[in-house]
Amino acid sequence: MRTADFDFDLPEALIAQAPARPRDAARMLVVRPGGLTDAGVRDLPGLLRPGDVMVVNDTRVIPARLHARRGAARIEVMLNRAEGGGVWHALIRNARRLRDGDVIAIEGAESCTAKVLGAPEGGAALLDFGPDPAALAAALEQAGEIPLPPYIARPEGPRPEDAADYQAIFAARPGAVAAPTASLHFTPALLDAISARGVARATVTLHVGAGTFLPLRGDDPRAHRLHAEWGEVTEEAAATIAAARAAGGRVVAIGTTALRLLESAADEDGTIRPFRGLTDLFLLPGHRFRTADLLMTNFHLPKSTLFMLVCAFAGTARMKAAYAHAVARGYRFYSYGDASLLERAA
């Protein structure tokens, strides 16, 4: 297995710079063992069955990109994961300028400072913002930026509408620095239609980190390690999923983040247990999926961990054919792009 095996050509014009309006007007490619079907997100209720359970991620994106100073040095900070007690794991541009014990000041929120804990490694460091979470939250709202992926071109910075566009309808628990993008397609009308179809819904939380969408750098995907992300499957969510499966319903993961968390919380027999903690599970072809039967997800970057995940779930040859079809038919790619609905490979 080589990283190059997961490369494909994508015209830049197909990289979506804004979402469909309304959100559920996006297209959706249905990928089954028997072939491909061009559909739309609004067709989702008819593709589900009464008794199925839809698993959604309720993480909320925070304005996690900050500009800071250490003396005259300018530093860009991307908060990545809360470690507790006011300490955050952060990805830092110009991290070489920082040393253990340095204090940086956040531009635009001058009363907010952070102390560097330990020497930065690999462009990342631990930052201590102090024990008052309300003060940090206020500073983020005042000075932080929504951390749009780099392929969404915003030379002048995020647009005012991005704050709402890059937030899913399920968003409730702050902590993500990237959106669970499959969830961006949902509207109240679509949720009403899914509920009327007799489909249950279970809510889980995975605070998506900054490394999720990055392409791999090495030649061997198996040598890659994901940044750990915090997630939770409550007893209520686990029970809802178990009840649906016991009654013959299918588990429909809305997004790769929900799927990764379900696989992290599953026993060998596929029973999903309550879970609370960190996961760095990297799903590659050869993984035996134990939880979801269907996966709704956007179209992902070449050579990314997420394209590898969908290949693992639905089959590499099938997904390469699906992506070639999507390119030929002009589907819109990435976070603000169109969707796909994948049936799990046998």
Side-chain angles (χ1 to χ4, degrees), residues 61 172 296 327 329:
V61 181
M296 182 179 173
V327 169
R329 296 296 180 93

Side-chain angles (χ1 to χ4, degrees), residues 53-56 202-206 231-234 237-238 241-242 245 251-267 270-273 275 279 281 283 287 289-295 313:
V53 59
M54 190 172 75
V55 183
V56 304
T203 299
V204 300
T205 305
L206 185 75
E232 181 175 25
V233 178
T234 63
I241 296 167
R245 294 179 76 178
V251 177
V252 184
I254 304 301
T256 58
T257 61
L259 177 60
R260 287 182 57 240
L261 184 57
L262 291 178
E263 290 293 307
S264 299
D267 287 346
T271 301
I272 296 166
R273 304 293 183 186
F275 175 94
T279 178
L281 183 62
L283 300 173
H287 177 82
F289 287 87
R290 298 162 292 174
T291 57
D293 303 287
L294 296 170
L295 169 65
F313 186 81

Side-chain angles (χ1 to χ4, degrees), residues 129-345:
F129 287 90
D132 184 355
L136 177 57
L140 293 180
E141 290 299 325
Q142 181 179 356
E145 296 177 356
I146 292 292
L148 294 177
Y151 47 75
I152 296 177
R154 297 290 187 268
E156 306 303 321
R159 300 170 182 167
E161 60 266 30
D162 283 318
D165 287 344
Y166 200 60
Q167 204 74 265
I169 193 172
F170 309 113
R173 302 180 70 180
V177 302
T181 56
S183 297
L184 297 181
H185 297 291
F186 287 82
T187 64
L190 181 60
L191 292 178
D192 287 346
I194 290 169
S195 179
R197 179 70 169 161
V199 175
R201 187 161 86 228
T203 299
V204 300
T205 305
L206 185 75
H207 289 324
V208 190
T212 294
F213 305 109
L214 296 177
L216 272 71
R217 303 298 182 193
D219 293 331
D220 185 356
R222 292 162 294 192
H224 184 73
R225 294 293 178 269
L226 294 180
H227 290 295
E229 297 166 318
W230 186 90
E232 181 175 25
V233 178
T234 63
E235 290 187 8
E236 179 183 3
T240 298
I241 296 167
R245 294 179 76 178
R250 299 173 300 175
V251 177
V252 184
I254 304 301
T256 58
T257 61
L259 177 60
R260 287 182 57 240
L261 184 57
L262 291 178
E263 290 293 307
S264 299
D267 287 346
E268 280 299 315
D269 65 357
T271 301
I272 296 166
R273 304 293 183 186
F275 175 94
R276 182 183 175 90
L278 297 176
T279 178
D280 60 359
L281 183 62
F282 183 13
L283 300 173
L284 284 165
H287 177 82
R288 183 177 64 83
F289 287 87
R290 298 162 292 174
T291 57
D293 303 287
L294 296 170
L295 169 65
M296 182 179 173
T297 185
N298 283 22
F299 292 95
H300 303 295
L301 281 72
K303 298 192 290 187
S304 65
T305 62
L306 298 183
F307 183 57
M308 294 174 188
L309 183 155
V310 297
C311 288
F313 186 81
T316 301
R318 191 187 308 168
M319 290 312 302
K320 286 184 174 181
Y323 272 51
H325 175 92
V327 169
R329 296 296 180 93
Y331 277 76
R332 301 163 71 246
F333 274 64
Y334 304 167
S335 294
Y336 279 159
D338 294 318
S340 62
L341 183 67
L342 315 179
E343 288 194 9
R344 187 176 70 188

